[in-house]
């Protein structure tokens, strides 16, 4: 019996039980039967949850790109690996076969080696959604360089922080990027970032927009002439299972972004397995995930998961609203997409528009639709299910995180009955528990608790780059022996999980995970600001929006508030990116603080939401009178 593909609900429960009782046997069989290895693992898994030390497929040797490309060439060489759909619908789409992709990746990998990149070196990739981002990622993995993709919407200072944290030797960028009607000056942002990045030796520049840019002598080179001259024969690096594959930064509730480190074999096995089962992938399907490769969703379900399964994956350069609100539906129709995977914020923004935008297209090719990034509210669920899925495509609400590498809780298409707003059941291998405030496991149904996982799975991130202590503290200390997700959840009577949202200071805005601390740091850098606190409040389209409470220094008190609001948002844009801008900024004379000086965010959250009913226990506040002032000034 093979464990790779679950065929029905009964088998799901069988596999699930097997994965809990005999995790080593379960994963060993999947690994051995579905991938090519230089050497297989005997021990399979070794872990110490107290120390946050986890190893999967111990001592095995493998190269993930050989598994994504080389092994498919004999059977699927002429099959399309990537369909590239450009920003402008009048430009033609590009169909890149497995043979083409293999050759482009090999050439690029040789270029990286010629430029002095070796196994273990970090390479920052700051590119728009064009084929070269896929080629660059895979080229790094082929030679064992650690890719660190930074979403091309981040500002120069945010890129610099990420480059410096992992001491990248190289940056791969482009002369610009197209997004809807805009052209983004990516190279200019990199030039500014690199003023403060001493580790970077080389910059490779892809030509995309033909914008006029500055090339720095001795540092910057155009990529295309180098790849044209390179050989397409590139021997892959033999990697240990636990060699880092990539770093991807995610916001935390405190301090600087966390460079989550994913390693090779476990990530490979888990993304391939989860892709196959959640989306019920079959050989001739055309899979489209609308995320950006700058996020984990793009890493796992535009690139690695689909390519490991020999699938055809769509990469879209543009935005859902350009040239009009039917762009997504038009692309599904054009490429006969079978699985469509997007975020609730995109659904909500398109659901606001006239129904004719979606009704124009029959969307008959679709088999499965998916959601990711935040809880999908009931209204959006039904709109998506009715108008996109035509009430016949299973809607898989997939819960996971940058840290988890792949989907952990989700319906499996055509297998698990779906229920609106419930992510439903954990995948095999995922031992979910809900914990109460006293750190006891919650056995009851319909009680919200902290969502934890009590056994490691292959795709879990292994550490935070350069800061294992922070990894341990953030994920393994709140509930000893368990991985704590930072999310709250409840369970219904049949065991389905519903994710209720973050229980820490991370706010999900339009599907982007934003920590309050870095935003507050950016606000506080404004010379007129003394202190600030940022909380989330519900928003129809974005899910949450940001509300800032700002105390001004005396020098700022007399300035024009409207201007200050603009300047503060500009500061945030410069430090983090436009995604982190505040919807509302209220100037206050103080913030509610406990005697130990901690801001009571719970109160600020309630005020931002406009819910003045019950602030809970405020007896520990040092300055209870401030609550009324803030309430009265609410925007
Ligand atoms: C956080 C992780 C990995 C996906 C992209 C976001 C929230 C994600 C769901 C869902 C409810 C969800 C959680 C999680 N989240 N998917 N289906 N239902 N909440 O990755 O940026 O690392 O954010 O996104 O709060 O912890 P991320």
């Amino acid at each position: 019996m093979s464990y790779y593909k679950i065929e029905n609900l009964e088998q799901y429960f069988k596999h699930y039980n097997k994965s809990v009782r005999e995790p080593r046997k379960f994963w060993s069989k999947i690994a051995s039967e579905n991938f090519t290895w230089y050497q297989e693992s005997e021990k399979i898994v070794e872990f110490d949850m107290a120390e946050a030390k986890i190893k999967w497929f111990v001592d095995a040797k493998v190269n993930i790109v050989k598994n994504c490309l080389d092994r498919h060439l004999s059977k699927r060489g002429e099959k399309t690996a990537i369909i590239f759909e450009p920003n402008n619908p009048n430009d033609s789409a590009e169909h890149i076969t497995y043979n083409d992709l293999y050759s482009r990746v090999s050439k690029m990998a040789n270029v990286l080696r010629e430029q002095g990149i070796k196994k273990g070196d970090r390479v920052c990739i700051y590119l728009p959604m064009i084929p070269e981002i896929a080629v660059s990622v895979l080229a790094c993995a082929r030679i064992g360089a650690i890719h660190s993709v930074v979403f091309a919407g981040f500002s120069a200072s945010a890129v610099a922080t990420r480059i410096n944290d992992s001491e990248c030797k190289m940056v791969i960028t482009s002369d610009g990027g197209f997004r809807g009607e805009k052209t983004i000056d990516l190279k200019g942002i990199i030039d500014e970032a690199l003023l403060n990045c001493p580790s970077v030796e080389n910059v490779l520049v892809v030509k995309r927009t033909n914008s006029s840019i500055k090339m720095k002598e001795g540092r910057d080179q155009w990529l295309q002439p180098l790849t044209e001259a390179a050989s397409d024969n590139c021997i892959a690096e033999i990697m240990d299972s636990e060699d880092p594959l990539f770093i991807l930064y995610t916001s935390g509730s405190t301090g600087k972004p966390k460079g989550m480190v994913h390693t090779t074999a476990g990530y490979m096995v888990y993304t391939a397995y989860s892709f196959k089962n959640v989306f019920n992938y079959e050989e001739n399907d055309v899979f489209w995930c609308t995320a950006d490769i700058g996020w984990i969703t793009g890493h796992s379900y535009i690139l690695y998961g689909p390519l490991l399964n020999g699938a055809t994956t769509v990469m879209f350069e543009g935005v859902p609203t350009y040239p009009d609100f039917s762009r997504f539906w038009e692309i599904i129709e054009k490429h006969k997409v079978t699985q469509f995977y997007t975020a609730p914020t995109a659904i909500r923004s398109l659901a606001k528009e006239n129904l004719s935008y979606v009704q124009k297209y029959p969307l008959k090719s679709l088999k499965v639709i998916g959601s990711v990034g935040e809880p999908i509210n009931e209204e959006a669920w039904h709109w998506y299910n009715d108008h996109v899925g035509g009430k016949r495509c299973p809607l898989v609400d997939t819960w996971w995180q940058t840290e988890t590498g792949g989907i952990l809780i989700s319906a499996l298409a055509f297998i698990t009955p779906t229920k609106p707003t419930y992510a439903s059941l954990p995948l095999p291998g995922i031992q979910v528990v809900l914990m109460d405030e006293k750190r006891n496991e919650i056995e009851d149904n319909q009680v919200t608790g902290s969502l934890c996982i009590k056994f490691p799975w292959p795709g879990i991130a292994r550490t935070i780059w350069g800061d294992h202590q922070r990894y341990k503290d953030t994920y393994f200390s709140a509930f000893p022996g368990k991985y704590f997700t930072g999310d709250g959840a409840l369970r219904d009577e049949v065991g389905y999980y519903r994710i209720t949202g973050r229980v820490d200071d991370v706010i999900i805005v339009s599907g982007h995970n934003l920590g309050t601390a870095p935003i507050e740091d950016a606000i506080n850098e404004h010379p007129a600001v003394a202190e600030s606190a940022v909380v989330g409040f519900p928003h129809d389209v974005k899910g949450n929006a940001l509300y800032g409470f700002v105390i001004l220094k005396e020098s700022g008190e007399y300035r024009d508030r409207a201007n200050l609001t603009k300047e503060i948002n500009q500061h945030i844009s410069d430090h983090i990116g436009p995604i982190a801008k505040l919807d509302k900024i209220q100037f206050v004379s103080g913030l509610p603080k406990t005697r130990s000086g901690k801001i009571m965010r719970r109160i600020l959250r309630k005020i931002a939401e406009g819910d003045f009913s019950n602030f809970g226990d405020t007896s520990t506040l040092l300055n209870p009178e401030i609550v009324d002032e803030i309430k009265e000034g609410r925007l």
Side-chain angles (χ1 to χ4, degrees):
M1 177 161 99
S2 154
Y3 289 131
Y4 191 60
K5 176 68 177 71
I6 301 164
E7 300 296 342
N8 52 48
L9 195 57
E10 192 193 336
Q11 210 180 55
Y12 158 78
F13 287 110
K14 268 198 194 143
H15 287 200
Y16 187 86
N17 290 336
K18 178 83 182 177
S19 77
V20 172
R21 281 197 325 269
E22 294 180 283
R24 287 177 178 79
K25 274 204 186 141
F26 180 79
W27 290 111
S28 150
K29 201 164 152 59
I30 288 178
S32 169
E33 289 174 0
N34 299 283
F35 301 89
T36 58
W37 304 85
Y38 299 106
Q39 182 185 305
E40 292 191 42
S41 171
E42 275 161 23
K43 271 203 206 129
I44 308 298
V45 60
E46 252 175 33
F47 62 94
D48 175 347
M49 295 293 256
E51 286 306 313
K53 293 216 165 105
I54 296 166
K55 286 183 176 182
W56 275 95
F57 308 107
V58 187
D59 294 333
K61 305 285 178 232
V62 69
N63 184 287
I64 193 169
V65 178
K66 287 204 79 118
N67 278 279
C68 286
L69 303 178
D70 307 34
R71 68 172 167 141
H72 300 314
L73 298 185
S74 60
K75 258 190 19 209
R76 304 187 180 98
E78 285 306 303
K79 177 176 174 174
T80 300
I82 297 178
I83 299 177
F84 169 63
E85 174 65 31
N87 178 60
N88 184 339
N90 300 320
D91 294 345
S92 45
E94 198 181 332
H95 290 250
I96 304 170
T97 64
Y98 273 90
N99 283 331
D100 296 339
L101 188 59
Y102 168 80
S103 147
R104 288 175 73 165
V105 168
S106 299
K107 284 176 176 230
M108 178 82 190
N110 281 326
V111 168
L112 296 180
R113 278 191 178 141
E114 281 157 21
Q115 298 295 318
I117 298 298
K118 295 183 301 294
K119 175 176 173 180
D121 287 343
R122 276 79 62 205
V123 174
C124 170
I125 301 175
Y126 188 72
L127 281 173
M129 285 285 288
I130 53 177
E132 284 80 0
I133 189 171
V135 172
S136 302
V137 162
L138 297 170
C140 285
R142 188 163 190 93
I143 66 166
I146 303 171
H147 53 79
S148 170
V149 183
V150 176
F151 172 58
F154 276 117
S155 69
S157 107
V159 186
T161 306
R162 287 159 176 79
I163 289 175
N164 288 333
D165 182 68
S166 47
E167 295 170 292
C168 294
K169 255 176 97 171
M170 176 187 269
V171 176
I172 306 173
T173 189
S174 68
D175 55 355
F178 297 121
R179 269 180 82 75
E181 274 162 15
K182 288 190 227 151
T183 303
I184 320 270
D185 176 19
L186 299 180
K187 179 60 165 58
I189 295 173
I190 288 297
D191 288 342
E192 193 189 329
L194 294 191
L195 295 174
N196 302 307
C197 298
S199 62
V200 174
E201 294 167 9
N202 291 302
V203 177
L204 301 182
V205 186
V206 177
K207 203 177 211 83
R208 174 62 188 152
T209 55
N210 278 316
S211 313
S212 76
I213 56 163
K214 289 199 200 88
M215 295 292 276
K216 186 171 170 190
E217 196 54 53
R219 186 193 73 183
D220 305 349
Q221 298 171 82
W222 290 104
L223 180 68
Q224 276 98 336
L226 299 176
T227 48
E228 272 160 32
S231 149
D232 64 0
N233 182 0
C234 171
I235 296 181
E237 195 75 34
I238 299 178
M239 303 296 285
D240 185 84
S241 283
E242 287 300 334
D243 280 334
L245 172 63
F246 64 85
I247 302 170
L248 187 59
Y249 287 87
T250 184
S251 318
S253 45
T254 53
K256 62 175 185 178
K258 297 174 288 194
M260 303 313 307
V261 178
H262 282 281
T263 60
T264 306
Y267 177 82
M268 173 181 82
V269 170
Y270 197 75
T271 50
Y273 172 77
S274 53
F275 173 76
K276 173 85 179 158
N277 287 288
V278 169
F279 300 105
N280 192 55
Y281 170 71
E282 289 170 342
E283 182 64 40
N284 293 314
D285 289 347
V286 176
F287 182 83
W288 181 20
C289 163
T290 69
D292 192 286
I293 291 179
W295 310 114
I296 191 72
T297 311
H299 280 58
S300 301
Y301 300 111
I302 296 177
L303 292 181
Y304 288 114
L307 296 178
L308 286 163
N309 283 283
T312 299
T313 179
V314 177
M315 250 184 86
F316 175 43
E317 182 184 29
V319 295
T321 50
Y322 174 82
D324 66 32
F325 302 110
S326 61
R327 187 69 163 121
F328 272 1
W329 326 125
E330 180 228 341
I331 295 173
I332 293 175
E333 206 59 54
K334 176 171 171 191
H335 298 300
K336 300 282 172 269
V337 170
T338 50
Q339 285 97 342
F340 176 68
Y341 189 31
T342 195
T345 184
I347 295 300
R348 285 189 302 259
S349 81
L350 296 172
K352 272 194 332 195
E353 305 303 330
N354 200 305
L355 259 186
S356 63
Y357 285 112
V358 56
Q359 284 174 340
K360 257 199 297 198
Y361 299 93
L363 307 177
K364 283 285 181 304
S365 58
L366 280 179
K367 298 201 291 193
V368 178
I369 56 177
S371 170
V372 60
E374 60 187 305
I376 179 162
N377 52 302
E378 190 130 12
E379 211 185 329
W381 196 99
H382 285 292
W383 190 90
Y384 193 22
N385 183 61
D386 296 0
H387 301 297
V388 181
K391 296 189 183 156
R392 57 182 179 84
C393 301
L395 193 171
V396 292
D397 178 2
T398 65
W399 175 85
W400 58 299
Q401 311 179 290
T402 304
E403 295 85 338
T404 69
I407 296 163
L408 297 199
I409 306 181
S410 172
L412 309 178
F414 300 110
I415 291 176
T416 324
T418 59
K419 174 172 172 181
T421 75
Y422 281 75
S424 88
L425 298 170
L427 267 68
I430 309 305
Q431 302 189 30
V432 176
V433 283
L434 298 179
M435 307 297 290
D436 69 17
E437 277 158 13
K438 300 199 179 94
R439 298 181 176 176
N440 295 319
E441 259 189 55
I442 298 174
E443 306 287 346
D444 293 345
N445 300 327
Q446 302 297 349
V447 179
T448 305
S450 296
L451 178 65
C452 295
I453 321 284
K454 67 176 178 191
F455 193 86
W457 63 98
I460 187 176
R462 303 298 195 261
T463 192
I464 292 174
W465 184 264
D467 198 351
H468 193 72
Q469 188 63 42
R470 187 174 178 201
Y471 178 68
K472 213 168 107 174
D473 293 345
T474 310
Y475 304 104
F476 295 86
S477 67
F479 301 95
K482 299 180 177 67
Y483 168 81
F484 172 46
T485 63
D487 281 326
L490 53 80
R491 191 174 37 226
D492 74 3
E493 55 300 334
V494 295
Y496 275 29
Y497 288 91
R498 175 185 187 156
I499 313 300
T500 50
R502 302 289 312 187
V503 295
D504 56 11
D505 289 328
V506 170
I507 305 170
I508 304 198
V509 178
S510 300
H512 299 303
N513 179 333
L514 300 171
T516 51
I519 303 176
E520 288 162 9
D521 291 345
I523 301 173
N524 298 349
E525 294 228 343
H526 189 288
V529 173
E531 204 186 342
S532 62
V534 171
V535 297
F537 69 99
H539 184 280
D540 283 353
V541 171
K542 302 183 193 180
N544 295 292
L546 299 173
Y547 194 123
F549 298 91
V550 174
I551 308 177
L552 292 172
K553 288 180 186 158
E554 218 162 290
S555 57
E557 279 295 332
Y558 309 102
R559 298 194 32 197
D560 173 350
R561 299 286 161 104
N563 258 339
L564 268 177
T565 299
K566 273 196 207 134
E567 287 174 20
I568 288 171
N569 264 331
Q570 191 56 45
H571 258 253
I572 297 173
S573 217
D574 293 345
H575 280 77
I576 301 166
I579 49 177
K581 282 197 205 167
L582 309 181
D583 270 38
K584 294 183 181 176
I585 299 180
Q586 180 181 347
F587 297 99
V588 296
S589 71
L591 293 165
K593 285 194 179 167
T594 63
R595 279 162 220 285
S596 57
K598 245 184 129 198
I599 299 172
M600 238 194 228
R601 290 174 188 277
R602 167 169 64 79
I603 295 179
L604 296 177
R605 253 180 246 132
K606 287 212 136 193
I607 296 177
E609 280 169 24
D611 170 7
F612 300 160
S613 58
N614 177 14
F615 291 124
D617 180 11
T618 52
S619 62
T620 56
L621 278 184
L622 198 62
N623 51 347
E625 70 290 345
I626 200 71
V627 176
D628 283 332
E629 179 208 303
I630 300 178
K631 238 165 63 181
E632 271 152 38
R634 177 178 178 268
L635 298 174

